[in-house]
């Protein structure tokens, strides 16, 4: 069920997919610290220091958090656009191979099916590569056994799969099964797939600058620790609860940015790469069931 279709209160109270599990320990710690300040204030110790509220202006911290979250969401959304482009490119290249490549030998259709499965293998290999996982059974089902063994030794398996697809296209051109214009169009689509791979690697290997991440955490820690000293005079025993609520708000925003900045993993808020690859697999399987009814005349080839 899509998140947008869930009842409002059910979605608001949902734990899975939220950042509650990531921040609740720190929130509880801030609440306990606030309660300890309330106890000290109850015994008339001079812990009320409203001036501390101006040490870290709320607007400065808020702008830093917004910038952090927006930057992370841009990475998430760019990753989604890249994978959307990959789906469309696989569909277009598969359609062109299936329709345009002539079958002049007995095993040509089987070779086309293998080439179409290589397109799915490229997507699966890209998914595993981005997650830092080795070649596994998902690829074994899509490529010949000899290729599977060879792929296990490669540092960048998607590039090897792209090479096999390019080699297949060149062979069909050499056999006069496609013309030069068709070869150029298909190679351009294959180049786009490799560009998509490079764009994903750029997101993966360009994290948020360490100095910025450290400084933001330091400001958050200082703000949450100074907050009870500012609130205790007016809130008394409610200081701990309010401190916990404010901490949950600020730490939660920071945790959201941290979770979505790398959108290729297994977290509930990451991109559904497994589902996207399954969609491509179904598209290819559906295409294989179709029989092209129009064949190009070899006499018109250039």
């Amino acid at each position: 069920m899509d998140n947008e279709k869930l009842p409002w209160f059910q979605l608001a109270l949902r734990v899975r997919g939220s950042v509650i599990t990531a921040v609740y320990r720190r929130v509880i710690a801030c609440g306990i610290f606030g309660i300890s300040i309330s106890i000290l204030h109850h015994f008339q110790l001079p812990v009320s220091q409203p001036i501390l509220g101006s040490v870290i202006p709320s607007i400065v911290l808020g702008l830093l958090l917004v910038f952090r979250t927006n930057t992370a969401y841009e990475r998430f959304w760019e990753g989604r656009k890249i994978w959307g482009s990959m789906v469309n490119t696989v569909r277009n290249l598969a359609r062109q191979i299936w329709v345009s490549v002539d079958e002049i030998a007995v095993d040509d259709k089987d070779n086309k099916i293998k080439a179409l499965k290589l397109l799915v293998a490229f997507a699966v290999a890209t998914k595993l590569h981005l997650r830092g996982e080795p070649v596994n059974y998902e690829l074994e089902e899509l490529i010949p056994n000899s290729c599977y063994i060879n792929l296990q030794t490669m540092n960048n398996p998607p590039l090897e799969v792209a090479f096999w697809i390019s080699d297949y296209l060149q062979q069909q051109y050499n056999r006069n099964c496609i013309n030069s214009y068709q070869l150029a169009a298909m190679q351009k689509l294959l180049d786009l797939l490799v560009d998509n791979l490079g764009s994903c690697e750029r997101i993966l290997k360009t994290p948020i600058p360490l100095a910025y991440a450290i400084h933001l955490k330091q400001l958050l820690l200082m703000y949450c620790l100074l907050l009870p000293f500012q609130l205790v005079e007016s809130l008394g025993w409610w200081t701990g609860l309010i401190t916990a609520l404010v901490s949950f708000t600020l730490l939660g925003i920071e945790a959201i940015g941290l979770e979505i900045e790398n959108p290729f993993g297994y977290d509930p808020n990451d991109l559904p790469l497994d589902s996207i690859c399954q969609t491509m697999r179904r598209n290819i399987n559906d295409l294989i069931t179709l029989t092209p009814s129009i064949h190009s005349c070899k006499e018109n080839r250039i």
Side-chain angles (χ1 to χ4, degrees), residues 217-276:
K217 293 181 185 299
Q218 291 172 340
L219 289 180
L220 279 171
L221 180 61
M222 290 174 59
Y223 186 88
C224 292
L225 291 179
L226 294 176
L227 188 61
F229 295 97
Q230 180 186 1
L231 300 178
V232 68
E233 179 68 31
S234 56
L235 295 180
W237 292 108
W238 289 96
T239 301
L241 177 61
I242 301 303
T243 300
L245 291 176
V246 174
S247 300
F248 172 72
T249 302
L250 299 177
L251 295 173
I253 294 174
E254 194 257 348
I256 290 172
L258 182 63
E259 184 162 325
I260 67 175
E261 70 178 358
N262 175 15
F264 306 124
Y266 287 101
D267 293 331
N269 292 303
D270 287 336
L271 294 174
L273 299 187
D274 294 319
S275 176
I276 294 174

Side-chain angles (χ1 to χ4, degrees), residues 25-96:
R25 292 185 180 88
R26 281 168 279 169
V27 170
I28 292 174
C30 290
I32 293 174
F33 182 74
I35 292 173
S36 66
I37 297 301
S38 299
I39 294 173
L40 294 177
H41 181 262
H42 176 72
F43 288 104
Q44 299 182 350
L45 294 175
V47 292
S48 177
Q49 301 292 335
I51 193 174
L52 294 179
S54 60
V55 173
I56 305 176
S58 300
I59 188 170
V60 173
L61 185 60
L63 288 174
L64 287 173
L65 285 172
V66 168
F67 176 77
R68 173 72 172 84
T69 306
N70 286 347
T71 302
Y73 185 75
E74 286 176 5
R75 294 161 60 90
F76 174 87
W77 185 240
E78 184 181 3
R80 183 61 186 93
K81 289 192 293 183
I82 292 168
W83 273 86
S85 173
M86 191 179 300
V87 171
N88 293 334
T89 304
V90 166
R91 288 170 176 169
N92 288 328
L93 183 51
R95 174 177 49 81
Q96 291 192 24

Side-chain angles (χ1 to χ4, degrees), residues 99-302:
V99 173
S100 300
V101 177
D102 271 351
E103 300 171 13
I104 60 178
V106 177
D107 60 347
D108 278 353
K109 184 173 182 179
D110 291 336
N111 290 333
K112 283 205 295 186
I113 292 175
K114 291 178 181 178
L116 264 57
K117 288 184 177 180
L118 282 178
L119 294 175
V120 181
F122 177 86
V124 173
T126 299
K127 176 190 70 174
L128 297 175
H129 177 64
L130 295 174
R131 290 176 173 175
E133 297 177 349
V135 173
N136 61 24
Y137 68 94
E138 291 183 82
L139 286 169
E140 189 175 10
E141 300 172 352
L142 297 169
I143 58 180
N145 186 59
S146 59
C147 294
Y148 177 73
I149 295 174
N150 186 37
L151 204 62
Q152 291 177 316
T153 64
M154 294 295 149
N155 294 321
N156 197 318
L159 283 182
E160 182 71 10
V161 176
F163 169 80
W164 293 334
I165 299 171
S166 181
D167 185 58
Y168 168 79
L169 295 175
Q170 188 63 47
Q171 289 179 20
Q172 302 316 303
Y173 172 72
N174 294 338
R175 297 173 64 235
N176 199 32
C177 291
I178 55 175
N179 60 41
S180 59
Y181 297 108
Q182 291 168 328
L183 175 64
M186 294 180 193
Q187 292 284 16
K188 184 176 181 180
L189 290 173
L190 185 58
D191 289 344
L192 182 56
L193 285 179
V194 176
D195 288 343
N196 289 333
L197 168 64
S199 297
C200 288
E201 289 177 330
R202 172 172 50 80
I203 294 175
L204 182 67
K205 297 179 180 180
T206 311
I208 299 296
L210 181 61
Y212 180 86
I214 292 175
H215 190 61
L216 179 58
K217 293 181 185 299
Q218 291 172 340
L219 289 180
L220 279 171
L221 180 61
M222 290 174 59
Y223 186 88
C224 292
L225 291 179
L226 294 176
L227 188 61
F229 295 97
Q230 180 186 1
L231 300 178
V232 68
E233 179 68 31
S234 56
L235 295 180
W237 292 108
W238 289 96
T239 301
L241 177 61
I242 301 303
T243 300
L245 291 176
V246 174
S247 300
F248 172 72
T249 302
L250 299 177
L251 295 173
I253 294 174
E254 194 257 348
I256 290 172
L258 182 63
E259 184 162 325
I260 67 175
E261 70 178 358
N262 175 15
F264 306 124
Y266 287 101
D267 293 331
N269 292 303
D270 287 336
L271 294 174
L273 299 187
D274 294 319
S275 176
I276 294 174
C277 289
Q278 284 297 326
T279 296
M280 284 187 254
R281 186 192 293 261
R282 287 194 299 269
N283 293 156
I284 295 300
N285 290 337
D286 290 343
L287 183 61
I288 292 173
T289 64
L290 303 177
T291 302
S293 58
I294 300 176
H295 297 280
S296 301
C297 295
K298 293 182 182 178
E299 292 80 3
N300 294 331
R301 293 242 173 89
I302 298 176

